[in-house]
Amino acid sequence: QVQWVESGGGLVQPGGSLRLSCAASGRTVSTYRMGWFRQAPGKEREFVTTIRWDGGTPYYADSVRGRFTISRDNAKNTVYLQMNSLKFEDTAVYYCAARSSFGLGTTAQEYDYWGQGTQVTVSS
């Protein structure tokens, strides 16, 4: 059984940066496509970004493209989300997710495994 644990969330001012990590335990995750989603209070879970098992073809939601960067280190079983130029509207619980099948995967339903989430709050 693989478990994913997110960390790195917190409180940051607008324009600031945070780096989230998603570490897997229990099994290698090098064959999974990984994604990040977020959910703000009262809203549905929203796609943020995804990356292929080998680190190729990262894909971003329009709302974060140019500000966020996804990466992974399969040797460490960890996926990262570097978030720069943060805005108020980036405030949400951020979740990492893993997908075992092929395909881009931009909806929550396409992912098989989830972390517990980490809170990101952008506030002045």
Side-chain angles (χ1 to χ4, degrees):
Q1 184 79 18
V2 184
Q3 290 185 322
W4 279 265
V5 179
E6 299 98 333
S7 61
L11 175 65
V12 63
Q13 292 185 338
S17 298
L18 282 175
R19 188 174 86 151
L20 306 184
S21 298
C22 173
S25 61
R27 183 178 163 183
T28 181
V29 296
S30 59
T31 59
Y32 291 94
R33 171 176 282 275
M34 298 297 297
W36 286 95
F37 288 76
R38 65 187 182 186
Q39 189 166 18
K43 295 187 176 181
E44 293 187 355
R45 195 163 295 189
E46 173 189 35
F47 168 77
V48 175
T49 180
T50 182
I51 190 168
R52 202 172 62 189
W53 68 273
D54 60 353
T57 60
Y59 182 79
Y60 300 91
D62 290 343
S63 58
V64 306
R65 187 175 292 116
R67 300 187 297 121
F68 290 11
T69 303
I70 188 172
S71 61
R72 66 190 296 164
D73 185 338
N74 288 339
K76 296 182 178 180
N77 273 355
T78 302
V79 180
Y80 304 97
L81 181 64
Q82 177 67 43
M83 305 186 295
N84 298 328
S85 302
L86 283 161
K87 304 176 181 180
F88 293 118
E89 52 264 42
D90 294 318
T91 296
V93 177
Y94 283 71
Y95 298 89
C96 67
R99 170 181 165 91
S100 56
S101 54
F102 290 107
L104 186 60
T106 59
T107 66
Q109 293 79 0
E110 296 177 89
Y111 286 78
D112 305 300
Y113 307 102
W114 293 83
Q116 85 290 348
T118 185
Q119 176 71 47
V120 172
T121 302
V122 183
S123 176
S124 55

